[in-house]
Amino acid sequence: MSRDRQVREAVAAMLAERPSNISHHNWAHMTLIERFPTTMFRHSPLNPQMHDFRLLTLLPGGRDDTIKCTLTEACLRDSLRYEALSYTWAGEPGGFPMIEVNGLQFPVSPNLHLALSHLRSEVVDRVLWIDAISIDQLNDKEKGGQIQMMGEIYKGASRVLVWLGQAAEDSDLAMSLIPKINTITLDDVPFSIEDDEKRKAWDALLRLFRRPWWTRCWVIQEIAAASSDPLVGCGKVWLDWSRFAHAVNLMSGSVSERVLQTASPTFTLMQIVRDDKTHRIQDLLKYSVQFAATEAQDMVFSLLGLVNDDDRSALKLDYSKSVRQVFTEVAKHLLRNDINVLCFYTNSSCHDLPSWVPDWSRFQARWPLWMPGMYRAGSAQSRKIRFIGDGLTLMAEGILMDQIEHVDTKSRLTLSSSPDTDSTPEEVVDNIEALLETVKQLPASKRKLLDPQRSDALWRTLVTNRLLLGRAHTMGSEIAPQKLGKMFEVFRNRSPVPAFFHPQMPQQQRKQEYIKEFVQSMQLGDQRFFVTADGRMGIGPHALRKDDVLAIIFGADMPFVFRARGESYQLIGCSYVDGVMNGELFKSKMHGKRTFVIR
């Protein structure tokens, strides 16, 4: 049996035995070193005190030749010329092609193997920095030190190369469309396409922008650190990053935005990061919720090269720590300054996290209900929190304000393009109004605060009393103006579209255009509508249920949904509750103060 076949069979056998906390690539490399110690490449230790790192020289070769490289140590402080590769580790489970490094075998992911094949010249060497090869991925200490240098490594590169993957699904056609968008005005871009060939090009661009690279968390730092215009490649076609950015800017805000749902957050975040080189970790985590990582800790670690000195000194890159440790340390650090961190993606079922610790690895297609400066339910009160025991229990002072009594369990509405199983906006409001009719039939003592004179209470609750501005990934908001109430009446077919509004439009299109701002602001994600025991209307997390309690924690902008667990509470998430969002409960007789033990 040939050695190549032995290696392939060994990889296939060991993948079934991979521990869940070790990546496919690292497990393959580790196992192959044990199985074939004399033929597999092993890294020599680096001197971390000398700013040492490793550069890969990609040797010339023909199309079908084995990929051969040399790996040498260098000092980052020296004057060096090299290119740094930005790519995704996608495709690991399918096997690991071998390359030669210093004459020995080294497993790489299929996507990296394709990138090396396309980058290799037939006549000259090419010097590269590639994380999967240049860093000893089996040495957590070295890995941590090298990752802390990544910002400098990408900044020092003569050019950053972005590899989107091999040519497929008409990607050449998509790449040819990018320069054309740069040369025409927005009015000339054929967003509504009848011509089959033009539609084919735009569909190809849609698929190109859905490739995994656009949502890889590490690209934030890799592109932000680049000292010159990166080069973006797909198959054999390469284009300047600036051409992509300009094309995306032209298309943003148009009906072509569906093309950009995956890629546009990347360009927006890159611009924010490049405009200001240091940021609060909380802001970067908030902006990066639409990104993903192979290892959950990387949702934090990939941002540490971009944060301010206070955050960098408090949060250390350490791969020996579990996801639970890393995310809990981040939460505790952020809670020292802002209790509204509890509004972000808490109550995770992953990583054995306490319910109050945000799970930054959970991909989010939407923003949370909380937005800075919008609400002041308890923010005028002095924040009082502390951690007890092993540091996994949070104690916070606040008031217990109400209990959830009725829940709309029928509706589901997402922020992005809705799958077929989602409720339409009309169905959501049908369900909610049916629920309210049921509540109104109850005795007055059971619906104390459900005021029939408050005609605006329902629509303001549906939009959480805010008008959303901008696109999903750069969303801003302002207090909902009265015009949304007029749109709601048209939306429910209780009033006609005002005569002044685009009278020449077809009637159905005219209605849809008029109510658009209301429908966009009503996007509830996977939230649920509820009515409390005291008759308050609200919007809260999908996991809430009857008998959960509502509390306002001192210092927080929004009420929280809690579930009693013996003598402690599980944090379900933040909520919007009509009539309490501006501190009204503290303007009247204050409810009894209490300490919430949150686990």
Side-chain angles (χ1 to χ4, degrees):
M1 184 186 297
S2 70
R3 175 52 56 90
D4 285 348
R5 183 176 175 185
Q6 286 180 310
V7 169
R8 286 196 302 271
E9 290 185 355
V11 169
M14 61 81 194
L15 282 177
E17 303 172 359
R18 178 183 66 89
S20 60
N21 63 332
I22 301 178
S23 73
H24 288 85
H25 176 269
N26 289 354
W27 182 243
H29 194 195
M30 186 187 310
T31 305
L32 289 171
I33 286 174
E34 293 176 358
R35 182 82 176 268
F36 309 106
T38 61
T39 59
M40 298 301 298
F41 175 80
R42 303 182 72 164
H43 294 81
S44 299
L46 287 173
N47 185 345
Q49 305 302 321
M50 300 301 293
H51 252 58
D52 284 356
F53 72 133
R54 301 185 187 91
L55 290 174
L56 182 82
T57 301
L58 181 58
L59 303 177
R63 178 177 178 179
D64 298 323
D65 292 343
T66 299
I67 294 174
K68 297 183 179 181
C69 317
T70 61
L71 193 63
T72 56
E73 295 180 14
C75 179
L76 191 56
R77 291 171 179 162
D78 292 341
S79 179
L80 301 166
R81 187 167 183 82
Y82 62 93
E83 297 168 300
L85 185 65
S86 177
Y87 68 106
T88 176
W89 288 37
E92 290 183 327
F96 295 92
M98 292 291 165
I99 65 171
E100 284 189 17
V101 177
N102 295 349
L104 298 171
Q105 297 288 299
F106 188 88
V108 295
S109 70
N111 189 45
L112 178 53
H113 193 270
L114 282 167
L116 292 169
S117 299
H118 282 78
L119 291 169
R120 179 172 57 177
S121 166
E122 293 187 356
V123 293
V124 297
D125 295 347
R126 191 163 193 174
V127 182
L128 301 161
W129 186 88
I130 302 174
D131 58 355
I133 306 173
S134 297
I135 299 175
D136 183 357
Q137 299 290 333
L138 304 182
N139 183 333
D140 282 345
K141 185 175 181 180
E142 177 186 304
K143 187 176 172 183
Q146 290 287 291
I147 287 175
Q148 291 184 63
M149 294 167 55
M150 275 179 60
E152 295 177 74
I153 291 171
Y154 277 89
K155 183 178 181 180
S158 58
R159 185 164 51 184
V160 172
L161 305 172
V162 173
W163 171 250
L164 297 180
Q166 65 180 325
E169 299 181 310
D170 295 316
S171 58
D172 285 354
L173 188 59
M175 294 289 279
S176 71
L177 186 58
I178 294 294
K180 294 176 184 176
I181 297 172
N182 280 266
T183 61
I184 56 182
T185 65
L186 186 58
D187 292 337
D188 295 326
V189 180
F191 297 123
S192 298
I193 306 166
E194 300 299 332
D195 182 275
D196 288 344
E197 284 303 309
K198 290 179 179 177
R199 181 180 295 278
K200 183 178 179 181
W202 284 99
D203 286 345
L205 188 61
L206 171 63
R207 290 189 292 269
L208 185 73
F209 280 141
R210 283 178 173 169
R211 292 199 175 206
W213 184 88
W214 300 105
T215 55
R216 176 178 171 266
C217 66
W218 285 104
V219 307
I220 302 169
Q221 177 177 233
E222 292 165 359
I223 300 302
S227 56
S228 60
D229 200 12
L231 202 58
V232 182
C234 184
K236 295 180 179 179
V237 185
W238 293 83
L239 295 171
D240 292 336
W241 173 270
S242 55
R243 286 197 170 194
F244 273 84
H246 185 58
V248 168
N249 186 55
L250 271 177
M251 292 187 289
S252 296
S254 72
V255 294
S256 70
E257 187 135 345
R258 69 184 186 89
V259 174
L260 306 177
Q261 284 175 356
T262 302
S264 197
T266 305
F267 287 96
T268 302
L269 184 52
M270 296 308 170
Q271 190 59 50
I272 292 170
V273 171
R274 293 184 79 138
D275 286 346
D276 183 0
K277 295 299 183 184
T278 60
H279 301 265
R280 297 190 312 162
I281 186 70
Q282 180 176 344
D283 295 331
L284 291 178
L285 287 167
K286 179 181 71 174
Y287 283 124
S288 62
V289 294
Q290 291 180 313
F291 291 76
T294 304
E295 298 183 45
Q297 299 99 314
D298 284 343
M299 291 303 299
V300 174
F301 293 162
S302 65
L303 302 173
L304 293 183
L306 301 168
V307 300
N308 58 41
D309 291 341
D310 179 55
D311 290 335
R312 189 178 293 111
S313 62
L315 303 171
K316 301 300 182 183
L317 196 156
D318 185 351
Y319 277 98
S320 68
K321 292 181 179 178
S322 67
V323 179
R324 185 190 198 192
Q325 287 176 294
V326 172
F327 285 5
T328 301
E329 286 177 7
V330 171
K332 292 168 75 171
H333 170 64
L334 297 179
L335 281 167
R336 291 186 177 95
N337 297 309
D338 187 1
I339 200 165
N340 290 308
V341 173
L342 298 179
C343 295
F344 285 91
Y345 323 123
T346 51
N347 193 36
S348 173
S349 60
C350 302
H351 315 304
D352 194 27
L353 296 175
S355 68
W356 54 271
V357 173
D359 180 359
W360 301 107
S361 70
R362 192 167 61 186
F363 178 85
Q364 301 294 328
R366 61 174 177 80
W367 285 70
L369 288 177
W370 176 86
M371 283 190 178
M374 278 299 302
Y375 311 113
R376 299 177 298 280
S379 52
Q381 310 302 311
S382 298
R383 173 175 54 92
K384 295 179 181 179
I385 65 168
R386 60 191 175 97
F387 306 99
I388 62 171
D390 54 5
L392 298 176
T393 300
L394 170 67
M395 299 188 72
E397 289 191 4
I399 59 172
L400 189 65
M401 55 167 277
D402 211 335
Q403 181 171 308
I404 294 174
E405 189 69 25
H406 309 277
V407 181
D408 169 27
T409 58
K410 296 181 180 179
S411 303
R412 177 174 172 78
L413 190 65
T414 59
L415 184 62
S416 56
S417 299
S418 300
D420 293 339
T421 55
D422 282 3
S423 305
T424 66
E426 291 80 6
E427 289 170 340
V428 171
V429 181
D430 283 345
N431 293 335
I432 289 171
E433 290 195 334
L435 176 68
L436 289 175
E437 283 302 314
T438 300
V439 175
K440 288 175 183 177
Q441 303 307 313
L442 298 174
S445 61
K446 296 287 188 180
R447 49 180 176 83
K448 291 182 285 187
L449 298 177
L450 199 62
D451 187 353
Q453 305 304 314
R454 283 265 337 266
S455 60
D456 66 339
L458 175 57
W459 72 258
R460 287 193 182 278
T461 300
L462 290 174
V463 299
T464 57
N465 201 27
R466 65 188 183 189
L467 171 65
L468 295 182
L469 307 169
R471 302 184 298 277
H473 54 281
T474 55
M475 196 72 77
S477 59
E478 62 182 34
I479 296 295
Q482 191 61 41
K483 68 176 182 178
L484 289 189
K486 296 177 181 178
M487 293 177 189
F488 177 64
E489 293 302 306
V490 174
F491 172 73
R492 298 304 288 160
N493 297 314
R494 295 172 185 147
S495 296
V497 178
F500 67 83
F501 188 81
H502 297 300
Q504 305 304 319
M505 270 188 184
Q507 186 59 30
Q508 188 58 28
Q509 181 185 353
R510 190 164 165 257
K511 176 186 175 182
Q512 295 305 316
E513 191 65 25
Y514 180 73
I515 65 175
K516 182 169 65 175
E517 282 186 308
F518 174 81
V519 174
Q520 288 176 342
S521 294
M522 193 185 72
Q523 305 283 18
L524 306 180
D526 57 357
Q527 313 287 339
R528 290 198 188 281
F529 179 91
F530 62 84
V531 180
T532 71
D534 282 346
R536 297 182 175 95
M537 287 183 274
I539 297 289
H542 186 269
L544 68 78
R545 62 193 187 203
K546 184 180 183 300
D547 296 330
D548 286 344
V549 297
L550 289 161
I552 297 178
I553 300 300
F554 294 159
D557 292 343
M558 304 192 78
F560 292 98
V561 179
F562 286 107
R563 186 167 299 153
R565 297 294 191 194
E567 296 182 354
S568 64
Y569 288 94
Q570 174 186 351
L571 173 59
I572 307 302
C574 69
S575 65
Y576 172 91
V577 181
D578 182 63
V580 306
M581 301 306 294
N582 290 303
E584 290 90 341
L585 290 185
F586 297 97
K587 295 172 185 175
S588 58
K589 184 178 179 181
M590 191 168 164
H591 293 237
K593 181 178 72 174
R594 64 187 300 170
T595 299
F596 294 87
V597 179
I598 311 166
R599 292 192 170 96

